[in-house]
Amino acid sequence: MNITIIQKLIAATLLAALILPLPAIAKVKNAPVGQQDTMPVFRDASVHDPSVIKVDDTYYVFGSHLAAAKTKDFMKWDLVASGANVNNPLFENVVEELKETFAWAQSDTLWAADVIQLKDGRFYMYYNACKGDSPRSALGVAVADHIEGPYKDLGILLKSGMWGQPSEDGTIYDAREHPNAVDPDVFFDKNGKLWMMYGSYSGGIFILEMDAATGKPLPGQGYGKKLTGGNHSRIEGAYVLYSPETAYYYMYLSFGGLDAVGGYNIRVARSENPDGPYYDAEGNEMIDVKADPALPIFDDRSIEPFGVKLMGSFLFDRKIGDPGTGIGIGYVSPGHNSAYYDPETGKQFLIFHTRFPQRGEEHEIRVHQMFMNSEGWPVVAPYRYAGETIDKVYREDVVGDYQFVNHAKDISAAIKKSQFITLNKNSKISGDVSGTWKRTAHNKAELTVDGVVYDGVFLRQWDPTSASYVMTFTALSKQGVAIWGSKMADKSDVEIVMDVQNDLSLGDTSSVTNNLALPAEGTRETAITWSSSNADVISEAGVVNRPEPGTGNATVTLTAAITKGDAAAVKNFTVVVKEQTINGVVAHYAFENNLSDSLGKAGAGIVTGDRIDKTGGVITYAGGVNNGQAAAFDGASGIRLPNGLISSNVYSVSLWLNPEQLTDFTTTFFGARDGNNWVSLLPRGHGWVNNDTMIWSGTAWYDAGAGMKVKAGVWSHLAFTVNNGSIVVYVDGVQKFSGTGFPNVFTTTDGSFSLGVNWWDTPYKGLIDELRIYEVALPAEEIANLAKKTP
């Protein structure tokens, strides 16, 4: 790949920013009082572990990989810098400037930075680097006259990971007790004293008293005072914010693992003093929170009962009949936050990075407004900040149907999907949960859900799915569990049934080869039942039995009956079920001096330039693997195959290749639903699989490494099979990888396919021959037969 994974994520983010809606000309319904009544505009950026600082009228965030971004309104972000390389403008040459740090940490990148302005008016950046697979880290400080640099190094302050050697406190370093010197947060307390909180996993979170004149720790503290964590518990990203409203210091933390399957979540504890002790809502002292040393390393069960959990992975699940498009709005592994209190407005903000459902490891900055509940704990607004101000709400505006999210207390990769509830006029809660609700003040909320009392606020917010302002609530229990609600538009049963009828779709049904997923429920618990005009071909459960080869396609009418209360409607779908192929072969490209499918079923390939969507390019032919011809790729050209060659989650791909050169990320076979959902066969993969030959998917960043590398100048047979999430990879007929959880990429019938090129990377140079695509998952014996060369 001629761009790094991080660059690819940034490119995807910029693409997403381009397709965000422009300001609406018409006024938006239900806009909050005093707020601009047009559609809010967002511009997103990717900064991992964002730490906020305000300079004049601009907010900056600094994070990992020496990334930084800025905004004036917490909505529209501009990237300032990214990448710990010589071109980063925050340093004149960070590679040279911080070479001692990189050398100690055995790393070529930086972790979560924090910037603060000290009393001399200059800006101090607390940088850090870590080896990653161990707590061998260095934490230092650099200074600049201007917030955007350039910064000059003042030296390393702390080191960790010196195995078997004396550490910063004079004792032999023990990662179970001593900190990992990363993730600094430097702050002034209410009396003007300077502190630095830091740490990640390992021995826990520590705090040091700092010299406000030099920006360095006061002498004789060693690693400082421990506040929480230890025994390699997954606690990191500590950030402190003092609240003048409550006179507490709030220590925000991230529990769990930061990746999309790590269960990252944001928690908080509070103290009357900056250096603790900190307590959670149940009165547990955080110094006692650590992993059980008798359990496996990184045990989450030991720590998940503690801290006030403000947010985890969730989804306001868009169901059939709901407004908008897509799956709804939600986050995956939100965390490593900072926070900001605006003394002029009294507003508080939570600033963090998050991943997203069905978008793999791609991440962006998000900002949500926070409020203090009656118990003095922060509650987080359900939707991103769109300029809203909390105001008086009226009882009649609160009554209605809601999407309801309970964040629970667990550390889990599972996404908490919304449930359906109603806040009734009689103050009862019905639906998927039961209880009562009341408005205790102008905007205060108290909800009792399944016997548990939650305290918070009502707030009107911008819902991007429905593109409208809606009533929301956010509340917290005394056990430290957060709940959110997002109100749905007031509608009758007849209107709801009509919405489901209009929205219900089975996608492209003109060429069906696999079972159909027939939904049984629409929005607000609307029931959908199905009948079939020919149950032998498509059952009422969506099971497809394809006609025998040579008997022709079958046409079936599926009828959906939609009901809610006394309201009802039907919708018919015409479905064409394709006859079975012989041996499951969809297409065979033999490259005998042409780009045609030898079976005559699929269209011919088209020569492209150095990207899948570019014209030009030249494909020639040379001696093939089995005495015939092969397609010759010159390193600047590719072949665009017909759309829709694969349209299910069951398929096989087989081909021969003879690379002239091996370059990182270069694809041979490539298939994609869109720019975020793709499968790529790489002769030379990325560094996380030791550059081995691999199948790579961008849907969930799935790595199926072969554990070996094909050679340049030699014919190799590569094949892979996918069977409803199970993937097997073969090299020269021998299984090299098998796994589960492979993403379902080809959910449409118009996916894009190519050989030798994609949208991003260095084109393939070498030969490709005998490409076969199947609509079945071939058995190992058949793969072995395909891998045999003709004498």
Side-chain angles (χ1 to χ4, degrees):
M1 190 175 283
N2 60 9
I3 58 175
T4 64
I5 295 174
I6 292 173
Q7 288 172 312
K8 180 175 285 186
L9 294 178
I10 292 171
T13 298
L14 292 175
L15 177 62
L18 291 176
I19 63 174
L20 286 172
L22 295 174
I25 297 176
K27 292 184 177 181
V28 178
K29 187 177 180 181
N30 296 325
V33 175
Q35 185 170 334
Q36 185 183 4
D37 56 352
T38 56
M39 186 179 296
V41 178
F42 302 98
R43 186 168 59 246
D44 295 319
S46 294
V47 176
H48 212 266
D49 313 320
S51 181
V52 67
I53 178 175
K54 187 177 183 183
V55 181
D56 298 325
D57 63 347
T58 302
Y59 303 93
Y60 287 83
V61 292
F62 293 83
S64 290
H65 313 297
L66 204 56
K70 61 184 177 181
T71 180
K72 292 183 182 297
D73 58 8
F74 281 138
M75 296 163 61
K76 297 180 288 294
W77 291 92
D78 294 307
L79 199 66
V80 172
S82 183
N85 55 58
V86 296
N87 297 316
N88 193 300
L90 296 177
F91 284 80
E92 291 183 354
N93 182 343
V94 70
V95 176
E96 182 64 25
E97 190 94 9
L98 303 186
K99 62 181 180 181
E100 182 184 355
T101 296
F102 291 124
W104 172 264
Q106 300 173 26
S107 172
D108 60 0
T109 192
L110 296 171
W111 283 26
D114 184 54
V115 176
I116 188 171
Q117 188 174 21
L118 296 186
K119 295 177 181 179
D120 62 2
R122 296 193 297 171
F123 298 92
Y124 289 74
M125 176 188 286
Y126 292 82
Y127 61 82
N128 54 109
C130 180
K131 188 172 184 288
D133 59 358
S134 81
R136 185 175 179 87
S137 303
L139 189 160
V141 63
V143 66
D145 293 327
H146 304 284
I147 184 65
E148 295 187 26
Y151 286 82
K152 292 294 183 182
D153 187 33
L154 297 180
I156 295 173
L157 305 180
L158 293 172
K159 291 180 179 178
S160 61
M162 56 285 285
W163 303 107
Q165 300 175 22
S167 66
E168 299 284 359
D169 66 2
T171 64
I172 300 300
Y173 184 82
D174 183 345
R176 297 168 299 177
E177 298 294 334
H178 289 127
N180 184 11
V182 295
D183 295 357
D185 168 39
V186 181
F187 65 98
F188 287 103
D189 67 17
K190 66 179 180 179
N191 298 315
K193 185 181 291 186
L194 189 66
W195 303 85
M196 182 175 74
M197 194 174 287
Y198 71 101
S200 172
Y201 288 43
S202 302
I205 306 299
F206 285 66
I207 191 167
L208 283 164
E209 205 174 330
M210 307 290 282
D211 185 335
T214 65
K216 297 182 178 182
L218 294 175
Q221 299 180 85
Y223 281 122
K225 180 181 179 181
K226 183 175 178 177
L227 298 177
T228 191
N231 293 331
H232 301 294
S233 53
R234 301 204 297 176
I235 302 174
E236 64 180 15
Y239 192 91
V240 177
L241 183 67
Y242 177 73
S243 171
E245 181 180 345
T246 67
Y248 280 111
Y249 294 89
Y250 292 86
M251 176 175 65
Y252 295 89
L253 301 160
S254 291
F255 280 35
L258 64 86
D259 58 4
V261 295
Y264 223 34
N265 61 93
I266 299 173
R267 304 197 181 208
V268 69
R270 72 186 184 189
S271 173
E272 295 177 349
N273 305 297
D275 59 342
Y278 282 86
Y279 297 89
D280 67 13
E282 295 182 284
N284 297 304
E285 189 172 352
M286 296 301 289
I287 190 63
D288 298 325
V289 179
K290 62 184 68 176
D292 185 342
L295 296 177
I297 194 170
F298 305 145
D299 171 61
D300 287 336
R301 303 292 80 79
S302 302
I303 63 174
E304 70 180 8
F306 305 104
V308 172
K309 183 180 175 184
L310 299 179
M311 180 194 306
S313 298
F314 76 95
L315 176 66
F316 280 122
D317 191 15
R318 181 189 171 274
K319 294 185 178 294
I320 298 167
D322 285 332
T325 60
I327 64 172
I329 294 296
Y331 297 156
V332 170
S333 290
H336 204 128
N337 69 282
S338 55
Y340 184 79
Y341 173 78
D342 186 338
E344 295 181 3
T345 64
K347 288 185 176 182
Q348 294 186 72
F349 299 95
L350 189 74
I351 303 101
F352 56 97
H353 75 255
T354 185
R355 290 154 174 82
F356 305 90
Q358 298 186 4
R359 286 169 61 180
E361 298 299 331
E362 179 187 349
H363 58 81
E364 294 171 352
I365 305 163
R366 285 294 181 269
V367 179
H368 286 226
Q369 197 172 173
M370 292 191 294
F371 309 91
M372 289 295 170
N373 71 5
S374 62
E375 298 290 332
W377 288 101
V379 291
V380 180
Y383 291 113
R384 70 188 301 183
Y385 179 67
E388 71 271 0
T389 297
I390 196 166
D391 203 351
K392 182 177 181 178
V393 300
Y394 295 92
R395 181 179 175 83
E396 57 267 28
D397 294 330
V398 173
V399 171
D401 296 337
Y402 283 77
Q403 291 177 293
F404 172 78
V405 170
N406 186 328
H407 286 277
K409 202 69 177 287
D410 58 333
I411 301 172
S412 170
I415 296 173
K416 304 293 191 299
K417 290 189 176 182
S418 58
Q419 299 173 286
F420 173 66
I421 67 170
T422 302
L423 303 191
N424 298 285
K425 290 182 180 179
N426 63 1
S427 298
K428 301 289 187 182
I429 301 175
S430 59
D432 290 330
V433 301
S434 61
T436 60
W437 70 273
K438 60 183 176 180
R439 185 176 63 95
T440 58
H442 285 328
N443 47 46
K444 300 298 183 182
E446 182 182 298
L447 301 96
T448 302
V449 178
D450 295 336
V452 178
V453 178
Y454 296 83
D455 175 34
V457 299
F458 292 108
L459 171 72
R460 194 178 296 280
Q461 283 199 282
W462 175 256
D463 170 16
T465 300
S466 64
S468 65
Y469 289 97
V470 301
M471 185 62 66
T472 70
F473 63 76
T474 173
L476 199 65
S477 72
K478 292 181 183 295
Q479 293 74 36
V481 174
I483 59 172
W484 290 349
S486 175
K487 190 182 177 188
M488 309 168 82
D490 295 329
K491 292 193 175 185
S492 67
D493 286 353
V494 171
E495 291 173 315
I496 293 168
V497 166
M498 290 179 60
D499 288 341
V500 173
Q501 182 187 42
N502 292 333
D503 193 35
L504 182 60
S505 173
L506 297 179
D508 185 355
T509 57
S510 64
S511 183
V512 170
T513 60
N514 289 276
N515 295 340
L516 295 172
L518 301 181
E521 185 180 9
T523 184
R524 310 191 205 205
E525 300 179 337
T526 303
I528 306 173
T529 57
W530 294 86
S531 60
S532 171
S533 66
N534 188 342
D536 291 335
V537 177
I538 307 178
S539 75
E540 294 177 354
V543 177
V544 172
N545 294 300
R546 296 170 62 186
E548 295 292 327
T551 61
N553 299 335
T555 301
V556 179
T557 299
L558 292 177
T559 300
I562 306 161
T563 58
K564 180 173 175 60
D566 294 330
V570 297
K571 189 169 187 177
N572 294 318
F573 297 88
T574 300
V575 184
V576 177
V577 179
K578 292 185 68 176
E579 66 176 337
Q580 299 177 37
T581 57
I582 299 173
N583 298 324
V585 184
V586 173
H588 173 212
Y589 293 90
F591 304 116
E592 298 302 324
N593 293 308
N594 62 64
L595 301 180
S596 300
D597 168 29
S598 65
L599 304 177
K601 295 181 177 182
I606 300 172
V607 179
T608 73
D610 62 357
R611 297 291 184 268
I612 191 174
D613 53 355
K614 288 188 178 180
T615 58
V618 175
I619 295 293
T620 57
Y621 300 92
V625 66
N626 287 326
N627 301 320
Q629 297 293 102
F633 295 74
D634 61 5
S637 308
I639 297 173
R640 180 72 181 258
L641 298 171
N643 289 351
L645 288 175
I646 302 172
S647 58
S648 76
N649 203 20
V650 181
Y651 53 93
S652 301
V653 177
S654 164
L655 56 79
W656 287 90
L657 60 87
N658 187 339
E660 184 175 331
Q661 63 185 27
L662 296 171
T663 49
D664 291 356
F665 306 111
T666 290
T667 190
T668 51
F669 174 84
F670 181 79
R673 180 167 84 239
D674 52 45
N676 292 318
N677 300 271
W678 44 265
V679 173
S680 190
L681 174 57
L682 311 181
R684 179 180 171 87
H686 55 61
W688 286 308
V689 296
N690 194 36
N691 299 120
D692 290 336
T693 301
M694 69 180 296
I695 297 294
W696 194 25
S697 172
T699 306
W701 300 105
Y702 195 104
D703 299 339
M708 50 81 67
K709 302 172 179 65
V710 298
K711 297 179 179 179
V714 176
W715 280 106
S716 297
H717 181 264
L718 300 184
F720 65 98
T721 67
V722 175
N723 189 353
N724 292 314
S726 296
I727 181 171
V728 184
V729 180
Y730 301 85
V731 178
D732 292 330
V734 178
Q735 179 179 312
K736 295 294 185 179
F737 177 90
S738 67
T740 58
F742 193 74
N744 185 8
V745 174
F746 304 110
T747 59
T748 63
T749 59
D750 60 353
S752 302
F753 297 88
S754 60
L755 297 174
V757 291
N758 55 27
W759 286 298
W760 311 285
D761 302 314
T762 302
Y764 174 73
K765 188 173 186 178
L767 304 176
I768 295 180
D769 202 5
E770 300 295 334
L771 169 68
R772 289 179 171 88
I773 300 172
Y774 298 80
E775 59 184 11
V776 297
L778 293 177
E781 312 85 72
E782 183 61 26
I783 299 291
N785 288 333
L786 292 170
K788 294 178 180 177
K789 292 183 181 179
T790 302

